[in-house]
């Protein structure tokens, strides 16, 4: 039995085929990637202040790199789940489509997504602390901790956005443009606690978008959302997709 709200959402998507999707760690949870704030979340085991700030890296780059090396090993073999697959499919379905992800795991790309803005960077990239050059790096485990720049020998850092760091301006601008333009804003698997991403859905809504949230539990966004569906992203998205396909077939007949 499909929830009535899921039917309503699929109808809205057909009437307004213009969508921005904001994803968070919950989208990758069913692939086995740890979330940050859930019962087994990373921030239950580790202090963000010790591992995910520029100050922590300046104090002890080796410790920070050991943590990133451990996380990279943990997720090296994970695969996209049905939520990633549906999102990748939708970029070809909707005339206007932008995926904004807070995730650094690269699973959206592995599922085939190309119209993607990575807000918080990518755990498979490293950046030279001296010259700012970015390199892809998939070595697991790292042969040297902390790793050094192959060009100039300076310290490399993970190419991610830590607390207290600004998002890259091009990434921020591109997100804003998408938020101003979209008619539907779908927020999936984020606790909506980390700024500025947490404000993005409200910016889209204030510009006329219908706000849809998919999460296991209520978040600070839930009271603003036009529709909230509680459940696993890997279950809900295929249901919406199934209804979209059925409606499209009806249109063709
Ligand atoms: C499921 C599910 C399933 C589970 N299906 N759902 C304004 C007010 C207050 C504070 C600030 C503010 N502005 C800035 C700040 C400070 C800070 C901030 O927001 N702090 C708050 C926490 C209080 N923000 C920043 O510092 C940001 N920078 C900034 O604003 O700079 C300003 C500046 C301007 C100019 C100069 C200098 C500075 C940067 C934030 C960077 C965040 N970085 C991290 C680490 C990335 C790298 C790494 O991975 O190591 O990003 S922290 C972490 O949180 C990570 C995530 O992307 C981010 C969000 O987490 P997410 O994705 O929401 O995960 P969870 O675990 O929280 O939630 C999972 C959800 O999924 C849950 O709701 C589950 O229920 C659900 N779920 N399974 C559906 N199967």
């Amino acid at each position: 039995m499909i929830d009535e709200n899921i039917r309503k959402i699929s109808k809205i998507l057909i009437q307004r085929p213009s969508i921005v999707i904001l994803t968070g760690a919950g989208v990758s949870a069913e692939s086995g990637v740890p979330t940050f704030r859930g019962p087994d979340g990373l921030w239950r085991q580790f202090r963000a202040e010790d591992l995910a700030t520029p100050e922590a890296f300046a104090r002890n780059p080796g410790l920070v790199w050991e943590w990133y090396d451990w996380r990279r090993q943990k997720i090296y073999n994970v695969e996209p789940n049905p939520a990633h697959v549906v999102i990748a499919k939708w970029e070809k379905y909707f005339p206007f489509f932008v995926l904004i992800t807070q995730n650094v795991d690269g699973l959206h790309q592995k599922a085939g997504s190309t119209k993607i803005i990575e807000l918080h960077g990518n755990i498979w990239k490293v950046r030279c602390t001296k010259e700012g050059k970015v390199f892809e790096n998939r070595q697991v485990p790292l042969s040297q901790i902390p790793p050094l720049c192959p060009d100039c020998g300076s310290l490399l850092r993970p190419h991610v956005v830590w607390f207290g760091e600004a998002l890259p301006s091009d990434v921020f601008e591109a997100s804003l443009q998408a938020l101003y333009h979209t008619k539907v804003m779908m927020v999936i698997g984020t606790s909506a606690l980390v700024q500025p991403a947490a404000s993005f859905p409200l910016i889209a809504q204030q510009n006329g978008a219908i706000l849809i949230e998919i999460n296991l539990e209520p978040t600070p966004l839930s009271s603003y959302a036009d529709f909230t569906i509680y459940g696993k992203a890997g279950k809900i998205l295929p249901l919406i997709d199934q209804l979209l396909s059925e409606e499209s077939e009806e249109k063709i007949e």
Side-chain angles (χ1 to χ4, degrees), residues 25 30 36-37 68 71 120 161 164-165 190-191 195 215 233:
E30 289 161 70
F36 291 91
R37 296 169 185 83
Y68 277 92
R71 283 176 60 198
H120 294 160
V161 180
E165 292 187 313
T190 175
S191 57
Q195 297 292 348
N215 202 304

Side-chain angles (χ1 to χ4, degrees), residues 13 16-22 94 96-100 174-186 200-201 203-211:
L13 287 170
R16 302 177 145 224
S18 152
I19 182 167
V20 170
I21 297 182
L22 172 67
F94 291 102
F96 181 80
F97 178 97
V98 178
L99 169 60
I100 304 176
S175 303
L176 285 184
Q177 288 312 315
L179 298 171
Y180 294 150
H181 189 282
T182 191
K183 300 275 188 287
V184 178
M185 174 83 214
M186 192 178 276
F200 285 3
I203 294 174
Q205 192 181 43
Q206 278 153 18
N207 281 275
I210 291 180
L211 178 53

Side-chain angles (χ1 to χ4, degrees), residues 117-132:
I117 297 174
E118 288 185 312
L119 273 190
H120 294 160
N122 189 303
I123 202 166
W124 302 111
K125 291 181 182 167
V126 296
R127 189 164 83 235
C128 175
T129 52
K130 188 165 177 227
E131 292 168 344

Side-chain angles (χ1 to χ4, degrees), residues 41-231:
L42 293 169
W43 298 153
R44 299 274 168 129
Q45 290 172 266
F46 305 98
R47 278 164 41 92
E49 298 86 335
D50 295 339
L51 298 162
T53 65
E55 294 78 16
F57 188 69
R59 259 194 320 267
N60 195 341
L63 177 72
V64 171
W65 263 118
E66 271 170 27
W67 187 62
Y68 277 92
D69 190 39
W70 170 76
R71 283 176 60 198
R72 283 159 53 112
Q73 291 181 48
K74 221 173 154 54
I75 67 170
Y76 186 66
N77 283 320
V78 296
E79 291 297 331
N81 65 59
H84 297 106
V85 172
V86 167
I87 292 169
K89 177 180 169 190
W90 283 358
E91 79 173 37
K92 295 187 186 74
Y93 179 93
F94 291 102
F96 181 80
F97 178 97
V98 178
L99 169 60
I100 304 176
T101 189
Q102 297 169 85
N103 299 344
V104 298
D105 54 35
L107 280 180
H108 283 299
Q109 291 91 329
K110 204 168 180 183
S113 285
T114 60
K115 294 178 187 172
I116 179 168
I117 297 174
E118 288 185 312
L119 273 190
H120 294 160
N122 189 303
I123 202 166
W124 302 111
K125 291 181 182 167
V126 296
R127 189 164 83 235
C128 175
T129 52
K130 188 165 177 227
E131 292 168 344
K133 200 165 165 189
V134 176
F135 304 88
E136 188 167 315
N137 178 315
R138 290 188 176 265
Q139 189 183 50
V140 165
L142 287 163
S143 55
Q144 181 187 24
I145 289 184
L148 301 178
C149 178
D151 286 357
C152 71
S154 302
L155 192 58
L156 289 169
R157 59 163 282 175
H159 185 51
V160 298
V161 180
W162 285 321
F163 286 114
E165 292 187 313
L167 271 53
S169 55
D170 56 338
V171 160
F172 189 67
E173 262 311 309
S175 303
L176 285 184
Q177 288 312 315
L179 298 171
Y180 294 150
H181 189 282
T182 191
K183 300 275 188 287
V184 178
M185 174 83 214
M186 192 178 276
V187 186
I188 312 171
T190 175
S191 57
L193 291 169
V194 174
Q195 297 292 348
S199 298
F200 285 3
L202 301 177
I203 294 174
Q205 192 181 43
Q206 278 153 18
N207 281 275
I210 291 180
L211 178 53
I212 298 164
E213 183 183 47
I214 299 172
N215 202 304
L216 295 182
E217 58 189 27
T219 74
L221 275 183
S222 307
S223 57
Y224 299 93
D226 297 291
F227 295 92
T228 300
I229 306 283
Y230 294 115

